[in-house]
Amino acid sequence: MSRLMLGKTLERICKAVLLLCLVHFLIMMIFYLDVYTQRFDIFSRFNTRNYSKMHQYFNISKPNGTSLTFLGGEDHFVSSRKLENNLTVTKKPLPMCPDVPQGLVGRLLIEFNSLMTMEKVQRENPDVREGGKYKPSDCITKQRVAIIIPFRHREHHLKFWLHYLHPILRRQKINYGIYIINQNGEGMFNRAKLLNIGYMEVLKDAEYDCFVFSDVDLIPMDDRNLYHCYDQPRHFAIAMDKFGFRITLKGMKVSRPDSKIGKYRMIKHERDKHNEPNPQRFTKIQNTKVTMKQDGINSLKYKLVNVAKYPMYTNITVDIGTPPSRPSRG
Ligand code: UDP
Ligand code: MN
């Protein structure tokens, strides 16, 4: 009788132990899965099937520590393929970049007193590609923006411009390229001509559907000032007007950083040599109709001297020739 009781008790104990084991196993399973989804690499090797779950868009780190980039190229999809070690990556289209980018900081502190070097700018912006190009890795942009800067002997300003603008443009989720249009020689500086040339030359380098013209000494004081093209023809008109474009833009958009007072900080400087206020400027305006055909983009005469791709920007040096002879009055 008591033996039977003992047997039953033992059986119950055994069952309890088994149940405990099962519960323990379940808890362990939950723990493993949880840890796994939280991206602890030590556990990832146990489950390679769902590997793609934890890296939605970006680099897939293989267990051996190397990293494979699936983004990039011209298609914006994470491709679906099987890797050597059987990792499956699911096809996932990138979302469109939001109209109002997240992560902007608003008002910025801009100063020009610190020591600035190109090396520092480069260190701060490791994700900018050669030639000063960048595109967001987590979303598709609607526009490809060429930022064109007329330039001569302003290396000091350029360092600050790049130092401030690259991070701003990155936060703004702009797909962009930076182009310095450098006037060769010491002839009269011609900003409008350089911008026209810039427009022509950047299209030889890459496809763009928006052009932003900026001075090298102009830094936005608020990153909500987006460096892209707006649909409203108003901005288009402003850009056209400011730079004397006489050209048909074939559906291209032009924009210029909105220079409302207080929104931009200008680096203070002396007036450059060979950039004196143009004494002919009134005569020139009067002669607009006459000179239009000669100055337009179709008859834009210049010599391409050099194109150099630096880590933070592309430099296009051009010889714009001697300034046109003084138009006779009357
Ligand atoms: N610029 C330049 N070198 C010069 C003159 C002008 O690079 O010798 C470029 C530069 O981008 C500058 C822009 O042209 O920001 C406008 O010229 P400037 O700064 O002289 O005009 P302002 O200060 O009168 O607006
Ligand atoms: Mn200036």
Side-chain angles (χ1 to χ4, degrees):
M1 198 56 185
S2 63
R3 263 199 192 172
L4 202 74
M5 288 274 282
L6 193 71
K8 281 210 165 155
T9 318
L10 268 173
E11 199 186 316
R12 277 197 199 120
I13 289 169
C14 277
K15 274 182 182 166
V17 166
L18 241 150
L19 203 76
L20 264 170
C21 278
L22 201 75
V23 168
H24 178 255
F25 178 72
L26 278 173
I27 289 169
M28 284 304 284
M29 280 303 286
I30 289 164
F31 173 74
Y32 266 62
L33 283 175
D34 191 39
V35 165
Y36 169 69
T37 50
Q38 281 177 33
R39 257 192 102 159
F40 279 87
D41 271 354
I42 32 165
F43 292 103
S44 59
R45 73 187 69 216
F46 297 132
N47 189 344
T48 49
R49 268 251 188 93
N50 292 320
Y51 216 80
S52 60
K53 259 195 195 163
M54 53 184 188
H55 310 267
Q56 291 206 324
Y57 308 125
F58 312 110
N59 293 345
I60 309 290
S61 312
K62 292 203 284 181
N64 63 10
T66 57
S67 138
L68 298 161
T69 309
F70 286 90
L71 251 187
E74 283 326 297
D75 69 346
H76 299 274
F77 289 91
V78 176
S79 41
S80 169
R81 33 181 160 149
K82 259 201 150 89
L83 306 175
E84 320 93 79
N85 51 359
N86 273 335
L87 304 184
T88 318
V89 181
T90 41
K91 193 170 190 150
K92 178 144 186 141
L94 289 178
M96 293 301 288
C97 295
D99 284 336
V100 181
Q102 308 291 299
L104 295 179
V105 298
R107 289 287 285 189
L108 306 167
L109 190 74
I110 310 290
E111 55 83 21
F112 306 111
N113 301 318
S114 55
L115 180 76
M116 195 50 64
T117 64
M118 206 54 93
E119 291 71 37
K120 177 170 155 51
V121 179
Q122 229 168 292
R123 271 200 310 276
E124 291 164 346
N125 299 282
D127 43 0
V128 172
R129 288 180 292 127
E130 196 193 45
K133 294 196 174 87
Y134 174 84
K135 73 174 175 189
S137 56
D138 57 350
C139 60
I140 305 169
T141 57
K142 286 184 196 136
Q143 300 173 355
R144 286 155 300 182
V145 182
I147 298 178
I148 298 173
I149 303 175
F151 184 90
R152 184 170 67 187
H153 307 321
R154 293 280 191 100
E155 285 72 17
H156 179 64
H157 291 178
L158 181 60
K159 282 177 218 158
F160 278 100
W161 194 94
L162 295 166
H163 162 74
Y164 284 117
L165 265 294
H166 274 305
I168 291 173
L169 293 166
R170 189 169 44 235
R171 285 202 296 278
Q172 295 185 348
K173 302 259 177 226
I174 308 276
N175 178 348
Y176 67 88
I178 308 290
Y179 295 88
I180 301 301
I181 315 300
N182 178 35
Q183 182 174 329
N184 202 33
E186 299 304 320
M188 182 69 82
F189 190 75
N190 190 337
R191 178 163 69 158
K193 188 161 181 178
L194 290 174
L195 294 175
N196 277 320
I197 293 170
Y199 167 79
M200 302 276 284
E201 287 298 324
V202 305
L203 286 172
K204 291 181 192 167
D205 180 53
E207 275 187 66
Y208 290 105
D209 31 35
C210 166
F211 302 84
V212 172
F213 302 125
S214 175
D215 288 350
V216 75
D217 55 11
L218 214 59
I219 317 278
M221 293 176 72
D222 195 308
D223 65 2
R224 287 168 293 189
N225 232 315
L226 302 180
Y227 275 63
H228 66 196
C229 291
Y230 297 85
D231 290 330
Q232 295 90 330
R234 189 168 57 93
H235 293 270
F236 188 72
I238 289 170
M240 300 275 282
D241 198 38
K242 285 251 183 195
F243 295 104
F245 265 69
R246 293 180 281 264
I247 56 163
T248 43
L249 289 158
K250 293 187 200 118
M252 302 284 180
K253 290 184 180 134
V254 180
S255 186
R256 198 203 181 205
D258 178 351
S259 44
K260 277 190 204 118
I261 297 157
K263 284 207 171 161
Y264 284 81
R265 175 146 286 172
M266 182 98 104
I267 305 178
K268 283 208 187 89
H269 61 87
E270 306 277 309
R271 188 146 275 277
D272 307 84
K273 270 193 190 143
H274 311 296
N275 189 35
E276 291 79 14
N278 192 342
Q280 296 175 20
R281 65 185 186 278
F282 300 111
T283 328
K284 276 216 168 138
I285 291 165
Q286 279 175 11
N287 281 293
T288 303
K289 276 198 184 121
V290 182
T291 53
M292 219 186 226
K293 283 200 184 108
Q294 299 157 19
D295 293 357
I297 208 122
N298 295 326
S299 59
L300 198 60
K301 285 203 182 73
Y302 63 95
K303 243 198 350 248
L304 186 64
V305 176
N306 183 43
V307 179
K309 294 198 173 177
Y310 294 106
M312 293 291 112
Y313 64 97
T314 296
N315 182 91
I316 300 176
T317 300
V318 289
D319 197 324
I320 63 167
T322 49
S325 60
R326 180 188 279 259
S328 56
R329 298 196 82 166

